[in-house]
Amino acid sequence: VSPSLLARRVGLAALALLMVPSTASAQGGARVSVSGVVGYAGSATVVQGVAEQGSGVWYGVRADLRIGRLAIEVSGLRGTLAPDDSAGGLRRDGGEMRGAVRLDVASWLALEGGYAVRAFDSPLGYQKWTIPAVGARISADLGMSGLRGYVRGSYLPSASSPGLPSSSLGLAAEAGLRLEPRSGGLTLGVFYRLERFDFGSAPDGRLEQFDLLGVSLGLSLGRR
Amino acid sequence: VKRLALALAAALAVTAAPLGAQIRPQAADTGLTSALAAFDAADVGAGVAALRATLAALPESARGVRARAGMYLAAAQWWLGQPDSADATMREAVAADPFVRLDSARFNPDVAAALLRARREVTVLGVRAPAEDTVRPDSGAWTLRVAVGRPGIVRVRYQGAGLDTLLASVSADSSETLRVPLGNAGGVLVQPGQGAMNVQLWEGARQLAARRVDVVVERLRVDTTEMAPEPLAEQYRVETRRGAISAPRLLRGLALAAAAAALPMLVANSSLPGSTVSRGAVVLGGTLVLGSIVGALAGRPVLPIEENIQYNRLLRDTWQSRNRGIAADNEYRRRFAPLRVRATAAPS
């Protein structure tokens, strides 16, 4: 799956969310929002003691559907990771498609599971990651109507890429702040996500890390 | 003859004043004046002749003078011993003008009684209506003068604009001033437009006579009071104030911010070069701190200031109450706007 194909799939998924019948929102408790996302991604890899870092701008679309206590989140991003030092490294084009289902078990706690596919394309070849995730999210109303902050921790079991063994350890952390008026309208968000993958241990192992600091701006329909 | 004249003068005059002096102010007509002068001079024959000449010379339209001349002629005839003639003359006088006034206090009681008897045998109804009058429907009345020969009940009905309403009724013995109300507390009985006041003389269930006064009724414009303007925004007091920052909420936000900064750092692999990790975590943590403070400030509870709420309510209620009063008064004024009643023709 090439990055451009991934992006197309993400776009289709977002479109599908947008086409959720308006009756869902009319019945109360249903809400759909679509946002554009732009962020600065960073990647760090150590393979057999050799470190490589890259970073670049990533952009894409994110869609959220909430019905009652259940929330579905789909996002798609693409961008570039350019080597941070001119001495070495390769420029890689990347893309990812991510989906997650979240269930609120309390006003401040939600459990979630998700699946992500991330792919990179470079002169050396094509690399695709599949990343399942389970985790929890803590959120809090910050006082102002519609302003909510959250912290999310996930375990990423058996993240894998063809030609590589599954990761021995996969963790993700995300924190964010989202302003989303209760009656719908413009939404604004900022988030930071970090994913860590360990394949074995140093010095022979492979360590991967991917992070993204992004902002989102979009529209929401429906009422919380 | 001189004795008869003197007796007539004595009969006509209860007081010492001569007959001519009693009626002269009313006698505009020269013939009537000379007749009365003759009576003053105890020349009854000349007086009677002058009255007859006056009656013969007066046009039929001079009903008032004819009636007065007839009345005095009837009095003279009665004292001349001609009761039948006196009776007939008096009837003619009353028929000519029902408003002819028989001043019983100034006449000999026998003469007055005889003339009154004669008057009451005439079925006649006279109506005098003002050419134009302005009437407040709620408190005023259209004033009408009616005179009858034969006593009865005088009723005034208004017909017009699809209405046929009995407005007034009075028991009339000779002449009466009739106040015709055009409305009552429930509303206006006479609607603007053309109509007719039908004045009827009834005796029991039998209508004896009727006169009609064609009228045009107009509703006059009234001045209404302007509604009071709403109190200016500056006049209202602030009804709420912000309460204190919620410390638990702020602490919760700050804790979340700390977690947002710490968790990525904890998750991050320290073996990797990761300056962007700490940078991102700090940015997010700082953003959450800022968001927590802004949220805590913006989310302070809104507390009512009861004293100001009461003040504003009183201000608003006073204004609304005043306007309700003005509206009611304006409505009353419009509803009971004065009516101008104009008689378009003489009573017929």
Side-chain angles (χ1 to χ4, degrees), chain B residues 263-312:
Chain B
L263 191 62
M265 292 185 190
L266 289 174
V267 168
N269 194 328
S270 57
S271 305
L272 287 168
S275 59
T276 56
V277 174
S278 58
R279 194 164 57 232
V282 167
V283 167
L284 229 292
T287 305
L288 272 170
V289 168
L290 190 64
S292 300
I293 294 171
V294 169
L297 287 172
R300 285 177 295 164
V302 178
L303 303 175
I305 307 173
E306 286 301 331
E307 183 186 341
N308 290 0
I309 291 173
Q310 293 288 347
Y311 174 87
N312 290 345

Side-chain angles (χ1 to χ4, degrees), chain B residues 71-93:
Chain B
M71 182 181 66
Y72 289 111
L73 178 59
Q77 286 172 328
W78 197 89
W79 276 101
L80 286 170
Q82 302 165 1
D84 291 343
S85 297
D87 192 65
T89 304
M90 185 60 192
R91 289 188 192 195
E92 286 176 11

Side-chain angles (χ1 to χ4, degrees), chain B residues 37-85:
Chain B
F39 284 132
D40 285 345
D43 188 353
V44 176
V48 169
L51 287 174
R52 288 191 186 284
T54 299
L55 284 169
L58 282 171
E60 287 294 323
S61 59
R63 290 171 172 272
V65 180
R66 288 184 69 88
R68 283 202 303 280
M71 182 181 66
Y72 289 111
L73 178 59
Q77 286 172 328
W78 197 89
W79 276 101
L80 286 170
Q82 302 165 1
D84 291 343
S85 297

Side-chain angles (χ1 to χ4, degrees), chain A residues 44-46 53 138 140-144 147 149-153 171 173 175-177 190-192 194 196 198 207-209 211 213, chain B residues 249 252-253 256 259-260 263-264 266-269 271-274 276-277 279-281 283-284 287-288 291-292 294-296 298-299:
Chain A
T45 308
V46 174
Q53 279 184 272
I138 295 171
D141 193 337
L142 297 183
M144 201 168 77
L147 183 65
Y150 67 89
V151 175
R152 169 191 278 167
L171 294 172
L177 181 69
V190 56
F191 65 94
Y192 177 68
L194 171 79
R196 167 186 175 173
D198 292 357
L207 306 176
E208 293 264 358
Q209 198 158 276
D211 67 316
L213 177 64
Chain B
R249 176 172 287 168
R252 199 164 56 231
L256 197 68
L263 191 62
L266 289 174
V267 168
N269 194 328
S271 305
L272 287 168
T276 56
V277 174
R279 194 164 57 232
V283 167
L284 229 292
T287 305
L288 272 170
S292 300
V294 169

Side-chain angles (χ1 to χ4, degrees), chain B residues 10-15 17 21-23 101-109 112:
Chain B
L12 288 171
V14 172
T15 63
Q22 291 176 44
I23 63 170
R101 193 156 59 94
L102 188 64
D103 191 351
S104 56
R106 288 177 173 263
F107 282 87
N108 176 290

Side-chain angles (χ1 to χ4, degrees), chain A residues 129-146:
Chain A
W129 292 72
T130 55
I131 312 167
V134 291
R137 177 176 130 143
I138 295 171
S139 62
D141 193 337
L142 297 183
M144 201 168 77
S145 175

